[in-house]
């Protein structure tokens, strides 16, 4: 039976298949020869899963046509299969049926099914608005070094790649050539953060801002009424956790890496902070880099592994277990230490169903990373373990950062990374639901019994 989870998972596979076939064509390569199948499959999967992992140089290996295919795959993958499909339905003027509404609901992790059509329109409008704005700002930066047509193509490609947290770059050294450029670091960072923070958070902030501006200059009681508009629990958790992780990641990376006189002795204090900030941002599943990740010590790599595994926020283009899952797990730990039987976040009780979902996501994600790391370590025993772990977490969290070992891995290891990227993009719970089918509710009650924990 073709259930909604299976529809979404098969949809991603279909897009990956089409992308692989297009990237295999001689027109997609710069030398005009047929692309090796493993290269095309790996690149297409990485693009659709908005990961950014590469085994060939995107700037030199692929032709302009191939780069355009990659860009389209990134856009479809970032929007999500169901959002892209819904967009086509809207363009064709067809009506939504119940199945499509349910699919959009599950793909965007929403509780209700009403307003699906308007929601998709809003998401598309928001996506194109930020991508166009980012492209314009990046064009102003790139046109200082390139001709206007080339600068425009670079700007569009990197804007879409940044907003969708893909990490693909048309520079052979990624963004290392602009590592001290404050404007470029700022624009790319904002696109990454806003793209990964979730559409609902941006919409909620927009409504809050619009309400305040509407009552600007009006009587005090109207202003006071507007100020009483409170943010949702999701907004509070996502924004606060994102800010904490960005600041903490910057400080930790600065202390472990940027203070190294051997690698970063030529940079000023402000430039080192900028480098640490950008790596902290991009580790949240974006995949760009302004320094050589392969030169990081184990401490720096482990910090980035933790940031990658957490990832972005629900409803956005980022991967990982998500910020909300992290906060729920932290809330569970806090409640257990305090002897409480409920989880409270901002004076709101978290439903047991969400607690179980958070635990399942965390356990399933760790299990996937464990299996992938083990398989690659067996297939490529000569590689450093921390580099393999970095590679698998980067693939699962759809980050794309690498210590430089990706292209040298065996074909089997590359296939493992392909499966890992796919699992990370569609989501562990959705993938399991597609494999084993939708869970059937049961009214059977079983007796409780205690056991030792901890």
């Amino acid at each position: 039976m073709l259930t909604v989870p299976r529809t979404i998972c098969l949809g991603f596979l279909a897009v990956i298949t089409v992308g692989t076939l297009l990237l295999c064509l001689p027109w997609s390569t710069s030398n005009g020869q047929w692309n090796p199948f493993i290269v095309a499959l790996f690149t297409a999967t990485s693009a659709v899963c908005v990961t950014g992992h590469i085994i060939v140089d995107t700037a030199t290996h692929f032709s302009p046509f191939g780069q355009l295919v990659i860009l389209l795959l990134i856009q479809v993958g970032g929007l999500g299969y169901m959002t892209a499909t819904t967009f086509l339905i809207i363009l064709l003027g067809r009506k939504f049926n119940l199945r499509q509404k349910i699919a959009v609901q599950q793909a965007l992790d929403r509780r209700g099914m009403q307003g699906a059509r308007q929601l998709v329109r809003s998401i598309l409008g928001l996506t194109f608005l930020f991508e166009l704005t980012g492209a314009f700002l990046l064009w102003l930066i790139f046109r200082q070094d390139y001709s206007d047509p080339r600068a425009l193509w670079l700007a569009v490609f990197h804007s879409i790649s940044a907003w969708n947290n893909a990490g693909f770059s048309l520079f052979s050294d990624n963004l290392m050539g602009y590592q001290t450029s404050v404007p470029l670091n700022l624009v790319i960072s904002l696109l990454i953060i806003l793209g990964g923070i979730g559409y609902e958070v941006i919409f909620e902030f927009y409504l809050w801002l619009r309400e305040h501006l509407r009552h600007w200059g009006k009587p005090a009681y109207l202003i006071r009424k507007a100020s009483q508009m409170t943010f949702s629990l999701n907004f509070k958790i996502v924004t606060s956790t994102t800010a904490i992780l960005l600041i903490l990641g910057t400080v930790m990376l600065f202390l472990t890496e940027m203070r190294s006189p051997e690698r970063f002795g030529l940079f000023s204090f402000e430039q080192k902070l900028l480098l640490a900030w950008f790596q902290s941002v991009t580790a949240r599943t974006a995949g760009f880099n302004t320094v050589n990740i392969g030169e990081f010590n184990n401490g720096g790599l482990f910090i980035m592994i933790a940031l990658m595994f957490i990832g972005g926020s629900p409803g956005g283009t980022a991967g990982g277990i998500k910020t909300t899952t992290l906060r729920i797990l932290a809330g569970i730990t806090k409640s257990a230490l305090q002897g409480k039987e409920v989880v409270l976040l901002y004076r709101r009780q978290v439903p047991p169903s969400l607690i179980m979902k958070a635990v399942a996501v965390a356990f399933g994600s760790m299990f996937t990373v464990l299996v992938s790391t083990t398989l690659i370590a067996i297939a490529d025993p000569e590689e450093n373990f921390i580099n393999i772990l970095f590679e698998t977490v980067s693939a699962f969290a759809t980050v794309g950062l690498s210590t430089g070992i990706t292209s040298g891995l065996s074909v089997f290891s590359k296939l493992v990374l392909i499966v890992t990227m796919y699992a990370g993009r569609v989501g562990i719970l959705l993938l399991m639901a597609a494999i084993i089918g939708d869970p059937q509710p049961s009214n059977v009650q079983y007796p409780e019994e205690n056991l030792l924990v901890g």
Side-chain angles (χ1 to χ4, degrees):
M1 179 180 177
L2 193 60
T3 61
V4 171
R6 288 171 183 169
T7 301
I8 297 174
C9 291
L10 290 175
F12 273 104
L13 286 177
V15 177
I16 291 173
T17 302
V18 172
T20 301
L21 294 177
L22 289 175
L23 291 179
C24 278
L25 298 174
W27 308 315
S28 296
T29 60
S30 57
N31 58 13
Q33 299 179 358
W34 288 89
N35 212 4
F37 178 77
I38 187 64
V39 173
L41 176 61
F42 193 97
T43 306
T45 305
S46 181
V48 173
C49 298
V50 289
T51 303
H53 259 318
I54 57 173
I55 53 179
V56 293
D57 184 8
T58 308
T60 58
H61 182 84
F62 292 99
S63 66
F65 174 78
Q67 293 171 2
L68 178 61
V69 171
I70 292 173
L71 190 64
L72 293 176
L73 293 176
I74 291 173
Q75 188 70 85
V76 174
L79 287 172
Y81 166 74
M82 284 312 306
T83 305
T85 302
T86 304
F87 176 56
L88 294 177
I89 293 174
I90 294 174
L91 286 180
L92 295 174
R94 295 174 58 185
K95 294 183 179 181
F96 276 37
N97 56 37
L98 180 61
R99 184 184 188 84
Q100 290 163 342
K101 290 182 178 180
I102 296 176
V104 172
Q105 172 206 358
Q106 293 196 12
L108 299 178
D109 198 18
R110 289 176 59 87
R111 292 189 178 183
M113 291 185 295
Q114 295 186 3
R117 189 186 190 99
Q118 184 60 38
L119 174 65
V120 171
R121 284 178 172 174
S122 300
I123 291 175
L124 291 169
L126 183 71
T127 296
F128 295 142
L129 172 64
F130 277 100
E131 287 178 348
L132 287 174
T133 303
F136 174 73
L137 295 176
L138 290 175
W139 174 72
L140 295 178
I141 299 171
F142 289 139
R143 71 191 302 262
Q144 300 176 18
D145 303 314
Y146 301 93
S147 62
D148 282 346
R150 176 62 177 172
L152 181 61
W153 172 238
L154 290 173
V156 171
F157 190 97
H158 287 86
S159 178
I160 293 176
S161 182
W163 171 261
N164 291 286
N165 281 220
F168 277 90
S169 176
L170 293 183
F171 300 113
S172 298
D173 60 354
N174 208 280
L175 297 179
M176 292 178 61
Y178 291 88
Q179 57 188 180
T180 58
S181 172
V182 175
L184 183 131
N185 278 260
L186 182 61
V187 173
I188 295 292
S189 294
L190 287 176
L191 286 172
I192 292 170
I193 294 171
L194 293 174
I197 206 169
Y199 297 107
E200 290 194 6
V201 171
I202 298 177
F203 289 147
E204 191 169 339
F205 179 77
Y206 165 74
L207 293 176
W208 176 86
L209 184 63
R210 187 183 67 176
E211 192 67 21
H212 277 67
L213 294 177
R214 181 181 298 174
H215 296 289
W216 187 264
K218 291 184 178 181
Y221 77 93
L222 290 177
I223 299 177
R224 186 165 57 252
K225 182 179 179 181
S227 64
Q228 292 175 352
M229 178 182 175
T230 59
F231 290 111
S232 66
L233 179 61
N234 179 73
F235 182 94
K236 294 176 182 178
I237 289 178
V238 167
T239 52
S240 61
T241 307
T242 297
I244 292 171
L245 289 174
L246 289 174
I247 296 173
L248 186 62
T250 301
V251 173
M252 295 298 293
L253 287 174
F254 179 81
L255 294 176
T256 58
E257 291 295 336
M258 304 308 162
R259 296 175 62 193
S260 171
E262 295 83 6
R263 297 192 297 274
F264 302 102
L266 298 177
F267 296 97
S268 66
F269 176 79
E270 293 79 8
Q271 290 174 336
K272 290 179 181 178
L273 275 181
L274 182 65
L275 293 174
W277 159 260
F278 190 84
Q279 280 17 266
S280 176
V281 172
T282 196
R284 305 290 309 291
T285 82
F288 289 109
N289 63 283
T290 55
V291 296
N292 188 353
I293 305 298
E295 295 181 353
F296 276 24
N297 58 39
N298 288 343
L301 291 177
F302 192 76
I303 291 171
M304 297 199 74
I305 287 173
L307 293 174
M308 291 190 299
F309 188 73
I310 296 169
S313 302
T317 56
I321 65 172
K322 305 296 192 295
T323 53
T324 48
T325 302
L326 175 67
R327 287 296 293 273
I328 292 176
L329 294 175
I332 294 172
T333 305
K334 180 181 178 182
S335 296
L337 293 175
Q338 294 177 341
K340 297 179 180 179
E341 295 184 355
V342 295
V343 177
L344 298 178
L345 295 174
Y346 291 99
R347 298 184 179 181
R348 295 291 187 271
Q349 183 175 332
V350 180
S353 59
L354 286 184
I355 295 175
M356 293 182 65
K357 183 177 180 180
V359 173
V361 168
F363 180 80
S365 300
M366 288 188 290
F367 181 77
T368 303
V369 170
L370 175 64
V371 172
S372 300
T373 303
T374 303
L375 291 175
I376 295 177
I378 294 174
D380 294 270
E382 70 280 358
E383 297 292 347
N384 190 310
F385 177 77
I386 190 70
N387 291 342
I388 295 176
L389 179 61
F390 189 97
E391 205 79 9
T392 54
V393 173
S394 179
F396 175 77
T398 68
V399 181
L401 290 174
S402 175
T403 56
I405 68 171
T406 316
S407 59
L409 294 176
S410 62
V411 174
F412 175 79
S413 294
K414 291 173 183 175
L415 292 175
V416 171
L417 288 178
I418 288 173
V419 175
T420 305
M421 287 189 287
Y422 176 76
R425 180 64 186 97
V426 300
I428 287 295
L429 297 186
L430 190 68
L431 183 60
M432 289 298 99
I435 295 174
I436 66 178
D438 293 328
Q440 299 297 323
S442 175
N443 295 323
V444 178
Q445 298 292 327
Y446 295 94
E448 293 183 358
E449 184 174 349
N450 289 328
L451 71 158
L452 299 178
V453 176

